[in-house]
């Protein structure tokens, strides 16, 4: 059966553009779009751009390949409000470390003010070997904008998580069927939701995330048991003006052994 995809965006000069609106179920109690919604539209814009060019996960699957996201850094300058139009644009950059495809996604308001910017890294995985392949041919299909459009981005090595850092929480999420995605493993958005859920509710009511840097290290599946551990970078971070936290999702095997599958660092500030 032929697969048809309806897209609402367009490509101009190798940049994909689409408008998104946060609805009530995408917002928090302060009428701000939730951080996980920003992750959702980042993923959606990337998927739509690829689908128009016949480079989607479905297209790659026909050749025994798939896209996966391995790293993302989002800087939030101003959270979109309920029903505010967010104009998203995304484009690919030159390969990073030979096998990673960088993708820039940024959202603007109607006045052209940048609300957030995301840098993502995507390897193309050979499903037989489970190893990345060089993306040169795929980038030729997607295209890279002129030099004037490119953003100077830096992917920094994250600090090693230390067990001596003060423990904030340890939660055990339940993986549900709705957490799985096109690749039949846990979708990257679920990791973000669990990370945010690991923070105390009263803290989240007073603070908002300004930057989040995440790495997806291993795949997890519906049957897996996982736990997320959150620690602070300083002793009294929970009460600081600009606290920083480190998060680690581990998969727990039947014999009790633990393997890290996801890491994140979040920076926060007090709500205005």
């Amino acid at each position: 059966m032929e697969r048809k995809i309806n897209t609402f965006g367009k490509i101009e000069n190798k940049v994909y553009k689409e408008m998104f609106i946060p609805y009530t179920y995408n917002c928090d109690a302060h009428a701000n779009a939730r951080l996980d919604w920003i992750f959702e539209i980042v993923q959606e814009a990337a998927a739509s751009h690829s689908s128009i060019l016949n480079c989607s996960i479905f297209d790659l699957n026909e050749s025994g390949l798939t896209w996966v996201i391995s790293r993302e850094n989002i800087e939030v300058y101003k959270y979109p409000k309920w029903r505010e139009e967010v104009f998203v644009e995304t484009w690919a950059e030159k390969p990073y470390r030979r096998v990673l495809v960088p993708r820039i996604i940024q959202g603007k308001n109607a006045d052209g003010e940048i609300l957030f910017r995301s840098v993502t890294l995507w390897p193309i995985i050979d499903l037989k070997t489970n190893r990345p392949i060089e993306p040169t041919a795929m980038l030729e299909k997607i295209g890279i904008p002129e030099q004037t459009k490119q953003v100077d981005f830096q992917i920094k090595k994250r600090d090693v998580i230390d067990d001596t850092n003060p423990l904030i929480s340890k939660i055990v999420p339940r993986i549900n069927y709705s957490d799985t995605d096109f690749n039949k493993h846990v979708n990257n958005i679920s990791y973000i939701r669990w990370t945010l859920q690991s923070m105390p509710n009263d803290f989240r009511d007073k603070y908002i995330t300004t930057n989040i840097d995440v790495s997806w290290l291993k795949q997890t599946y519906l049957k897996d048991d996982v736990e997320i551990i959150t620690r602070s970078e300083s002793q009294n971070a929970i009460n600081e003006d600009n606290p920083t936290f480190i998060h680690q999702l581990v998969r727990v095997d039947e014999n009790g052994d633990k393997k890290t599958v996801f890491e994140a660092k979040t920076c926060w500030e007090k709500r205005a």
Side-chain angles (χ1 to χ4, degrees):
M1 180 183 297
E2 183 180 358
R3 175 175 50 83
K4 295 182 179 180
I5 297 179
N6 294 320
T7 56
F8 298 92
K10 59 183 178 181
I11 297 175
E12 293 180 352
N13 300 320
K14 302 176 184 177
V15 176
Y16 177 77
K17 300 181 179 181
E18 185 173 354
M19 189 269 286
F20 294 86
I21 297 176
Y23 298 108
T24 52
Y25 48 85
N26 305 124
C27 296
D28 62 17
H30 303 266
N32 289 325
R34 293 191 178 96
L35 180 61
D36 52 296
W37 178 77
I38 294 178
F39 273 85
E40 287 176 352
I41 64 174
V42 163
Q43 179 174 286
E44 193 66 23
S48 295
H49 186 194
S50 297
S51 71
I52 291 177
L53 300 170
N54 299 317
C55 300
S56 69
I57 285 178
F58 298 110
D59 296 308
L60 266 64
N61 284 172
E62 295 176 1
S63 301
L65 305 171
T66 193
W67 288 106
V68 296
I69 187 170
S70 64
R71 184 80 180 265
E72 180 165 6
N73 185 293
I74 292 184
E75 189 79 26
V76 184
Y77 308 104
K78 184 178 180 180
Y79 276 83
K81 289 291 187 179
W82 170 61
R83 299 289 299 185
E84 180 179 7
E85 293 181 340
V86 180
F87 299 89
V88 173
E89 54 184 21
T90 179
W91 64 92
E93 294 277 2
K94 295 178 181 179
Y96 181 76
R97 293 182 179 173
R98 195 168 63 85
V99 296
L100 298 172
V101 177
R103 179 180 280 279
I104 310 298
I105 303 100
Q106 60 186 22
K108 299 179 180 180
N109 61 19
D111 295 325
E113 179 184 10
I114 296 181
L115 302 174
F116 63 85
R117 177 174 288 147
S118 166
V119 176
T120 56
L121 296 178
W122 300 78
I124 300 173
I125 301 297
D126 186 314
L127 293 173
K128 288 185 178 180
T129 64
N130 203 33
R131 298 183 65 83
I133 66 169
E134 290 196 12
T136 305
M138 195 61 60
L139 276 173
E140 288 178 356
K141 294 181 67 175
I142 296 174
I144 298 175
E146 293 77 8
Q147 188 69 29
T148 53
K149 186 62 184 176
Q150 294 180 345
V151 171
D152 182 22
F153 64 90
Q154 297 292 327
I155 302 294
K156 298 180 180 179
K157 186 175 181 180
R158 200 168 26 255
D159 297 336
V160 176
I161 295 177
D162 191 336
D163 289 346
T164 62
N165 287 97
L167 179 66
I168 300 298
S169 69
K170 183 183 293 186
I171 66 171
V172 181
R174 178 181 177 182
I175 301 178
N176 299 306
Y177 185 82
S178 58
D179 291 310
T180 57
D181 61 14
F182 291 162
N183 285 321
K184 299 182 179 179
H185 54 62
V186 175
N187 185 269
N188 66 85
I189 307 298
S190 293
Y191 295 68
I192 305 305
R193 293 194 180 108
W194 297 336
T195 297
L196 297 174
Q197 289 167 11
S198 73
M199 300 302 299
N201 291 335
D202 57 346
F203 173 84
R204 292 184 64 191
D205 206 35
K206 298 175 183 177
Y207 290 80
I208 200 161
T209 317
T210 56
N211 179 272
I212 180 169
D213 186 13
V214 301
S215 290
W216 292 271
L217 305 174
K218 301 284 184 182
Q219 297 176 359
T220 54
Y221 299 88
L222 190 59
K223 61 180 179 57
D224 288 338
D225 293 320
V226 296
E227 63 182 24
I228 188 160
I229 303 164
T230 290
R231 298 180 181 274
S232 61
E233 285 201 336
S234 58
Q235 193 64 40
N236 194 37
I238 205 79
N239 296 311
E240 294 176 355
D241 289 339
N242 300 101
T244 301
F245 301 92
I246 44 182
H247 315 267
Q248 183 180 30
L249 185 74
V250 298
R251 183 171 56 222
V252 185
D253 297 334
E254 292 181 358
N255 58 8
D257 292 339
K258 298 181 179 181
K259 180 174 293 185
T260 301
V261 297
F262 168 83
E263 293 179 348
K265 180 177 181 178
T266 56
C267 301
W268 303 69
E269 68 179 17
K270 288 186 176 180
R271 293 180 184 269

